[in-house]
Amino acid sequence: MTSPKAAELRALHVPGRPLVLPNVWDAASARAVVEAGFPAVATGSAAVAPVLGYADGEEAPAGAMLDAVARIARAVPVPVTADLERGYGLAPAELVERLVATGAAGLNLEDSDPGTGTLVDPDEHAGFLAEVRAAAAGAGADLVINARVDTYLRGAGTSHGAGAADPRDEGTTDRRLADAVERGRRYLRAGADCVYPIGVAGPEVIKTLVAEVGGPVNVLFRPGVPSLAELAALGVARVSFGHGLHAATQRYLAAMLSAIASGESPYEIGGP
């Protein structure tokens, strides 16, 4: 059974006309995104977790994170996709069952271990994605799977790679690109709808990834990344903002609080 919202979300992944997702952290921010005219809503774990009182990296209990996703999905009429890190230790069938119950139409799953920061073997992660896809099919559900590729965060290699590779190392750029492409291809074959090489920035690398992965590519928008128009021209199908908007909001709040502590009006911050 195809979920109308999942089908709608999947159809929004158009290379050259990317789905832009300013990631949210609660129902209020989700409503703001919809009111601004965006056709879908995405959560960001690094934004939701601190709102719930936890650090990112699967420190939040699965139930708390899924409850937050459910509140967001109830608050908006558009498809919602949830950043679920590496699944919070839930077996694929339970993960799918509990996510579908929230009303979400899609999810992010990453290929590094949140506890150790190491890359997971790509075959292992591909197997996990395939199990999630099969569990959804077995439950008569449809989910849009965005497979995050952490090569540019953690360094090229498999589960033995710890931490980000030194960009000064000879061949690092080529190794990362080759690893990201190979992982992306495996994840698409396993049933992912889109791959998310988080941290990639250079236009030539993005162009190569789009050309060689063989499916929709998601890019994290942050300082140093090509503009939205340039990302569209490079063939990107999805653009995420991660926890960037939440972090900026927190910085603005801190500035307002500092003004209050100094006996000034917080409403002067950022201009009249």
Side-chain angles (χ1 to χ4, degrees):
M1 178 178 67
T2 300
S3 160
K5 285 190 174 179
E8 182 181 348
L9 178 62
R10 187 175 286 110
L12 290 168
H13 290 69
V14 180
R17 199 173 73 234
L19 169 63
V20 178
L21 295 167
N23 298 71
V24 308
W25 50 93
D26 60 11
S29 56
R31 290 192 184 104
V33 164
V34 174
E35 288 167 5
F38 294 93
V41 163
T43 70
S45 69
V48 176
V51 170
L52 298 175
Y54 299 92
D56 193 28
E58 295 198 345
E59 293 294 322
M65 185 61 71
L66 289 163
D67 285 347
V69 172
R71 288 191 293 273
I72 289 167
R74 286 196 301 267
V76 295
V78 302
V80 171
T81 180
D83 179 3
L84 296 186
E85 304 197 59
R86 193 162 160 73
Y88 298 92
L90 300 177
E94 183 180 1
L95 177 65
V96 167
E97 179 183 9
R98 294 177 68 173
L99 178 63
V100 169
T102 69
L107 72 164
N108 277 19
L109 289 170
E110 61 199 51
D111 67 350
S112 64
D113 185 305
T116 64
T118 58
L119 281 167
V120 174
D121 181 86
D123 286 335
E124 179 184 341
H125 191 65
F128 178 54
L129 295 173
E131 290 183 52
V132 170
R133 175 60 71 204
D142 186 22
L143 291 171
V144 177
I145 300 175
N146 191 34
R148 205 178 89 176
V149 178
D150 285 0
T151 298
Y152 286 91
L153 288 183
R154 310 300 188 190
T158 55
S159 57
H160 62 269
D166 188 337
R168 297 169 296 182
D169 289 349
E170 183 179 355
T172 292
T173 300
D174 289 342
R175 288 200 307 274
R176 286 186 174 190
L177 177 57
D179 190 70
V181 167
E182 177 58 26
R183 285 172 179 269
R185 288 173 175 171
R186 292 189 192 197
Y187 302 161
L188 289 169
R189 289 196 299 267
D193 296 279
C194 183
V195 295
Y196 182 15
I198 189 169
V200 67
E204 289 304 316
V205 177
I206 293 171
K207 182 178 180 180
T208 301
L209 280 165
V210 167
E212 295 191 9
V213 162
V217 171
N218 181 179
V219 169
L220 174 68
F221 190 88
R222 59 191 175 91
V225 168
S227 69
L228 292 175
E230 290 169 327
L231 290 173
L234 291 169
V236 171
R238 172 168 168 164
V239 180
S240 301
F241 281 72
H243 75 294
L245 299 180
H246 181 256
T249 301
Q250 292 300 105
R251 289 194 296 271
Y252 189 76
L253 174 61
M256 294 182 77
L257 295 174
S258 179
I260 295 171
S262 300
E264 301 170 0
S265 169
Y267 304 115
E268 305 284 330
I269 302 296

